[in-house]
Amino acid sequence: MLDDFMIRAALGAVGTATAAGLLGCFVVWRRMAYFGDATAHAAVLGVAMSLAFGTGVIWGVILVSVLVAVLIHTLSADAAPMETLLGVVSHGALAIGLVAVSLVPGQRVDLDAYLFGEVLTVTRTDLAVIWLGALAVALVIWRHWQALLTATLSPDLAYAAGVDPRREQLILTLLLALVVAVAIKVVGALLITALLIIPAATARSLTRTPEAMAVVAILIGTLCALGGLRAAIIFNTPVGPSIVCVATLLFTLATISRKLFSSGS
Amino acid sequence: MTLISAKGISVHHRNVSALQNVSLSLDAGEIVTIVGPNGSGKSTLLRVLIGAITPDTGTVTRAPDLRIGYVPQKLAIDPTLPMTVRRFLNLPRRISNADAENALTAAGAEHVSHQQMAALSGGQFQRVLLARAILSRPNLLILDEATQGLDQPGSANFYRQIDAVRQDLNCAVLMVSHELHVVMSASDRVICLNGHICCEGAPDVVSAAPAYRELFGSGTGGALALYRHDHDHHHDHDHA
């Protein structure tokens, strides 16, 4: 069954959407979208390093994403003007990555695959990475759900309850790096944040509790992944952007119907 | 029995001193109020006590059985985070429906269980925060300007509710407040803070202390003038 590239693509896209939808809720609640961008952009530098050292791309991506995520986490401790700082890290990392890739000796690299994703070429190994990564993300969030939620609501409430919000923040930061590594093959570095925030934001208008929002975000993410894949085949468009187009369409529909049919809350 | 004590606490925020050499201790069942002008370090001191801030110098000692119920000054729930009252009460630990209803009743917020936190009025919101704080059956209730944003009858009601909760749980209460006239009469002890402890003691003693009057007395142009102050001596017009 896994011999069929379409099946592999579908499994890869669904695995990515599951991890991204779940973690995306926290990205939305904690306003970490820019943070996600910075981590994802840094992944391009990871690609360059992997190519230079001849290792599997996944390892370079994980390494650099984790380093950048921890760097931002450390810098954010003294609450400097974060937005500017994140902008520097985000675009700086992307630019350095693009330059570094061009400097790698040997054959020209198809950079598009890493910037916009190329899910139709996922291998069995890629699938294993995607699903193990998604499983790890789901497991950690499951185990830390209450603590993460308390810390998200208010750091002070967390401290008073014996939960260290800085630790929970670091956990989310590392998970973000993991999701970037999982998603880069599917949607590419430039659109990972979209897969994080759009399904979660769509789920918000349909739900009343954080748990419901997380479940619905995963379902919507899955729907976008399969719908985008299908649309890409029909219209012969790139898969990653097609998935994000479907997500954007669903978000727009949910927002409009909410405005039409409900009066708040 | 001492529940929590702080010795020689100093805290700096970006080279600006917020607290200098502050020491205090709380006994079981005691009601202590911290008063002080804006920026006097009241919230900082509470955050040191709950462990949110590590002081630059000094130590905090907690009794082994200390259970803190904390009511923050305000809680801004991001609009993207859906949260019913019932779900909120499940943080940080899941509780039974019966416990949730009891806590809401004790805090004077019945029948809001299924509402969204964002849809509550200011008074209801504070009561839900109080309900969540008492779920762990704390022996120390800490409230940081919990009546900010409530009108006068609203905050008077809220203080009555705190008093009822305290009698029910038999816990100590440490609160920060601007509403001096209310808290003064209800407190066993008042601590007047302005970066350091200016004076402390029984409400009568503190309200008569020169350091206190300098902060809250007529010198502030009446803005912070003490309700009680208006009643502990006769004004000229009484004799006219």
Side-chain angles (χ1 to χ4, degrees):
Chain A
M1 183 182 85
L2 292 178
D3 291 338
D4 186 337
F5 78 97
M6 274 305 292
I7 301 277
R8 287 201 304 271
L11 284 174
V14 169
T16 303
T18 303
L22 185 56
L23 186 64
C25 289
F26 285 99
V27 173
V28 168
W29 295 335
R30 302 171 69 105
R31 307 191 173 195
M32 290 167 70
Y34 219 2
F35 197 114
D37 265 345
T39 312
H41 288 172
V44 176
L45 182 58
V47 171
M49 283 175 55
S50 300
L51 295 174
F53 294 106
T55 61
V57 166
I58 184 80
W59 304 116
V61 169
I62 286 188
L63 179 71
V64 175
S65 297
V66 166
L67 284 179
V68 166
V70 171
L71 173 74
I72 297 169
H73 176 78
T74 313
L75 291 175
S76 69
D78 46 59
M82 269 306 281
E83 206 175 67
T84 306
L85 194 61
L86 280 174
V88 172
V89 174
S90 169
H91 299 105
L94 180 61
I96 294 170
L98 292 173
V99 168
V101 167
S102 76
L103 291 177
V104 173
Q107 81 278 31
R108 289 288 87 184
V109 184
D110 176 20
L111 202 55
D112 281 4
Y114 300 107
L115 291 178
F116 305 110
E118 195 41 274
V119 73
L120 293 177
T121 64
V122 291
T123 63
R124 285 157 183 267
T125 316
D126 292 333
L127 268 189
V129 168
I130 288 171
W131 276 95
L132 283 177
L135 210 63
V137 169
L139 207 65
V140 172
I141 289 185
W142 175 269
R143 305 250 340 184
H144 283 260
W145 184 256
Q146 288 281 90
L148 284 170
L149 215 49
T150 308
T152 298
L153 213 55
S154 152
D156 281 355
L157 279 191
Y159 277 120
V163 172
D164 182 355
R166 291 285 300 164
R167 176 163 169 267
E168 304 306 318
Q169 162 91 34
L170 181 62
I171 288 170
L172 284 179
T173 303
L174 294 175
L175 288 182
L176 200 57
L178 190 58
V179 166
V180 166
V182 160
I184 193 166
K185 185 91 189 192
V186 178
V187 286
L190 294 184
L191 289 174
I192 288 173
T193 310
L195 208 55
L196 284 167
I197 63 173
I198 301 178
T202 310
R204 169 60 185 104
S205 54
L206 306 171
T207 51
R208 289 176 49 82
T209 63
E211 287 77 13
M213 180 164 156
V215 170
V216 173
I218 291 174
L219 293 177
I220 290 176
T222 304
L223 195 65
C224 297
L226 295 176
L229 192 58
R230 182 108 186 96
I233 301 300
I234 294 173
F235 301 112
N236 192 26
T237 49
V239 178
S242 301
I243 292 175
V244 176
C245 283
V246 172
T248 308
L249 184 69
L250 286 181
F251 173 80
T252 311
L253 290 177
T255 308
I256 290 174
S257 62
R258 188 179 190 220
K259 288 248 191 294
L260 285 180
F261 299 116
S262 107
S263 51
S265 105
Chain B
M1 189 198 73
T2 303
L3 286 176
I4 190 166
S5 68
K7 268 204 183 65
I9 302 291
S10 297
V11 174
H12 292 79
H13 290 316
R14 301 179 174 279
N15 299 325
V16 178
S17 174
L19 291 175
Q20 304 112 35
N21 195 24
V22 171
S23 299
L24 71 99
S25 95
L26 252 99
D27 288 343
E30 223 185 351
I31 305 183
V32 176
T33 302
I34 302 173
V35 297
N38 284 338
S40 59
K42 304 185 297 286
S43 291
T44 303
L45 180 55
L46 290 195
R47 297 185 72 225
V48 167
L49 293 177
I50 64 169
I53 295 177
T54 310
D56 297 323
T57 62
T59 52
V60 177
T61 313
R62 297 175 174 83
D65 67 336
L66 178 70
R67 292 183 308 281
I68 293 178
Y70 176 63
V71 180
Q73 188 175 39
K74 59 181 190 302
L75 184 65
I77 298 183
D78 197 281
T80 60
L81 177 56
M83 184 66 73
T84 59
V85 170
R86 179 65 186 84
R87 182 61 190 91
F88 177 71
L89 295 178
N90 264 340
L91 293 171
R93 272 165 283 281
R94 293 186 190 279
I95 50 150
S96 71
N97 283 332
D99 285 349
E101 282 308 321
N102 288 341
L104 285 174
T105 306
E110 300 93 338
H111 314 306
V112 297
S113 199
H114 296 290
Q115 291 194 35
Q116 287 284 310
M117 291 292 286
L120 299 178
S121 70
Q124 284 173 326
F125 195 95
Q126 290 308 115
R127 283 158 194 270
V128 170
L129 289 182
L130 180 62
R132 198 206 66 98
I134 62 179
L135 271 169
S136 57
R137 299 203 70 77
N139 47 15
L140 172 58
L141 195 57
I142 296 184
L143 303 105
D144 189 357
E145 301 217 30
T147 59
Q148 219 183 32
L150 300 188
D151 58 14
Q152 245 178 355
S155 64
N157 277 335
F158 191 70
Y159 280 117
R160 271 197 287 278
Q161 202 73 54
I162 292 171
D163 198 44
V165 162
R166 197 196 76 84
Q167 297 195 352
D168 181 34
L169 291 175
N170 200 21
C171 58
V173 176
L174 176 64
M175 55 189 168
V176 155
S177 185
H178 268 129
E179 278 146 317
L180 305 171
H181 57 286
V182 186
V183 296
M184 286 293 265
S185 57
S187 304
D188 297 323
R189 193 147 59 90
V190 174
I191 295 173
C192 180
L193 192 71
N194 192 18
H196 58 282
I197 292 181
C198 305
C199 53
E200 67 171 304
D204 293 348
V205 177
V206 168
S207 64
Y212 178 81
R213 296 205 160 212
E214 199 175 306
L215 278 176
F216 290 104
S218 51
T220 54
L224 289 169
L226 179 62
Y227 194 80
R228 193 181 184 109
H229 173 95
D230 294 334
H231 289 267
D232 62 6
H233 61 281
H234 291 286
H235 290 279
D236 290 339
H237 59 76
D238 289 343
H239 307 288

